[in-house]
């Protein structure tokens, strides 16, 4: 396994990756969820600062382990997946290099676009048994759901709110390098 990020274009292997979130519930617990449908690709440039990434998430593919909650989250109370079916991330800059760096970009959730910074850790690179080049990354950030128009809430009798504002996003990515095709 290599600790150097090989240049090239990679496609996210969704079956070996995860896009998740965590938010405070009732002021006392943290609820976790994930999205089961997403795709993306990224290019690691020779000049690492020129690298770029794009990701698309199906807003309706949320899974929290509770069907009623999943239905509520995809309703107009939260992110209205029927009329705003996709979330996107498009990078605008990369800061740093090596095993830890920042990926800066525009995150669109619920039809609202805001800049975010993902703290990224490079987990390694290898060629698998079939010869495919793969890389792995972990990334995280924290956003304010209110900034994305996700304002539904309920006041609790003892004080506080049912759903917290801060949402931690966590991403685990395994990606496969695209093989350049040669035109004959």
């Amino acid at each position: 396994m290599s600790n150097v990020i090989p240049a090239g274009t990679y496609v996210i292997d969704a079956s070996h990756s995860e896009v998740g979130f965590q938010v405070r519930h009732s002021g006392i617990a943290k609820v976790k969820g994930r999205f089961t449908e997403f795709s993306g690709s990224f290019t690691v440039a020779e000049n690492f600062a020129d690298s770029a990434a794009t990701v698309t998430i199906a807003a309706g593919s949320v899974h929290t382990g509770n069907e009623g909650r999943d239905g509520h989250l995809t309703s107009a109370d939260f992110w209205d997946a029927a009329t705003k079916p996709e979330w996107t991330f498009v990078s605008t800059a990369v800061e740093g290099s090596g095993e830890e760096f920042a990926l800066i970009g525009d995150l669109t959730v619920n039809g609202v676009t805001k800049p975010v910074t993902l703290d990224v850790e490079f987990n390694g690179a290898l060629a698998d048994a079939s010869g495919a080049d793969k890389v792995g990354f972990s990334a995280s950030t924290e956003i304010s759901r209110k900034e994305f128009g996700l304002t539904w809430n309920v006041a609790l009798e003892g004080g506080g709110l049912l759903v917290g504002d801060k949402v931690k996003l966590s991403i685990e990515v395994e990606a496969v390098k695209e093989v350049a095709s040669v035109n004959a």
Side-chain angles (χ1 to χ4, degrees):
M1 186 167 69
S2 172
N3 288 333
V4 175
I5 306 172
T9 298
Y10 295 83
V11 175
I12 294 173
D13 176 355
S15 67
H16 292 105
S17 301
E18 183 173 276
V19 175
F21 63 91
Q22 177 178 292
V23 64
R24 189 165 295 280
H25 182 263
S26 298
I28 60 169
K30 293 179 181 175
V31 170
K32 293 182 178 182
R34 62 186 173 88
F35 293 91
T36 59
E37 296 176 31
F38 55 90
S39 62
S41 64
F42 54 91
T43 299
V44 177
E46 292 293 339
N47 175 9
F48 193 68
D50 294 332
S51 299
T54 61
V55 176
T56 301
I57 299 167
S61 73
V62 67
H63 178 75
T64 65
N66 180 303
E67 287 184 33
R69 179 173 42 228
D70 296 349
H72 192 204
L73 289 172
T74 59
S75 76
D77 281 349
F78 281 93
W79 56 72
D80 197 6
T83 61
K84 299 169 192 153
E86 291 184 343
W87 295 4
T88 59
F89 174 82
V90 178
S91 67
T92 57
V94 178
E95 292 181 355
S97 62
E99 293 186 26
E100 294 184 10
F101 58 93
L103 183 61
I104 301 156
D106 293 326
L107 177 65
T108 301
V109 172
N110 196 38
V112 177
T113 302
K114 297 284 182 184
V116 298
T117 299
L118 294 169
D119 297 318
V120 182
E121 177 184 356
F122 175 57
N123 296 328
L126 62 78
D128 70 10
S130 68
D133 292 324
K134 295 183 174 184
V135 292
F137 295 92
S138 298
S140 63
T141 194
E142 185 174 273
I143 62 171
S144 162
R145 67 185 187 90
K146 291 177 188 172
E147 288 183 2
F148 290 91
L150 303 174
T151 58
W152 181 92
N153 225 327
V154 172
L156 299 174
E157 191 173 307
L161 298 171
L162 182 63
V163 183
D165 177 47
K166 298 296 179 189
V167 179
K168 292 182 181 180
L169 303 177
S170 60
I171 303 152
E172 295 296 329
V173 169
E174 181 175 311
V176 179
K177 189 174 187 178
E178 288 187 331
V179 178
S181 61
V182 177
N183 294 333

